[in-house]
Amino acid sequence: YVLSIDSTWYYIFDTPPISGYTMSWFATTRRAQEEVVTRLNAIPELVILQRNGEEALDSVPLRERLPIIFRFVDEHFEEVFSHNAYRLLKRRGVQTIE
């Protein structure tokens, strides 16, 4: 899942978004965010690509725009890798192959 205002990652990885929202910030309503969280929760091996630092759209930080999604991610995911502007998150408690 790409938790960023940048939707080009789906094209780079050649994979569809897990919800009908090609850009996470399209899911601004409560119902839309709950739909995304339901889909995030349904995939145990899910990896999230998130931009380091605070992203904003129209001067509104993405964390404020999508509070339900960010609360879920903060509670259930942890950083496993960071490089330059992005970081990868995996679900807490899920073993990774090293």
Side-chain angles (χ1 to χ4, degrees):
Y1 180 67
V2 178
L3 187 52
S4 170
I5 61 173
D6 187 358
S7 66
T8 57
W9 288 104
Y10 293 114
Y11 300 102
I12 292 169
F13 294 135
D14 192 26
T15 185
I18 63 167
S19 70
Y21 307 100
T22 56
M23 292 186 236
S24 58
W25 56 272
F26 283 170
T28 56
T29 66
R30 176 180 205 81
R31 183 175 177 191
Q33 289 182 62
E34 288 170 350
E35 175 190 335
V36 170
V37 166
T38 298
R39 293 183 185 234
L40 291 173
N41 201 33
I43 306 170
E45 304 83 18
L46 181 72
V47 173
I48 295 177
L49 178 68
Q50 183 181 23
R51 192 163 177 82
N52 278 327
E54 193 65 51
E55 273 188 298
L57 186 67
D58 295 333
S59 299
V60 178
L62 200 57
R63 185 171 284 281
E64 288 180 29
R65 191 178 291 272
L66 306 172
I68 296 169
I69 295 172
F70 271 88
R71 186 170 38 253
F72 177 81
V73 169
D74 289 345
E75 290 174 5
H76 299 279
F77 288 82
E78 62 187 349
E79 182 179 302
V80 291
F81 180 77
S82 180
H83 182 71
N84 291 333
Y86 287 92
R87 63 191 193 140
L88 291 176
L89 310 172
K90 74 166 183 73
R91 189 178 301 275
R92 295 181 197 282
V94 172
Q95 296 295 323
T96 57
I97 298 173
E98 299 193 21

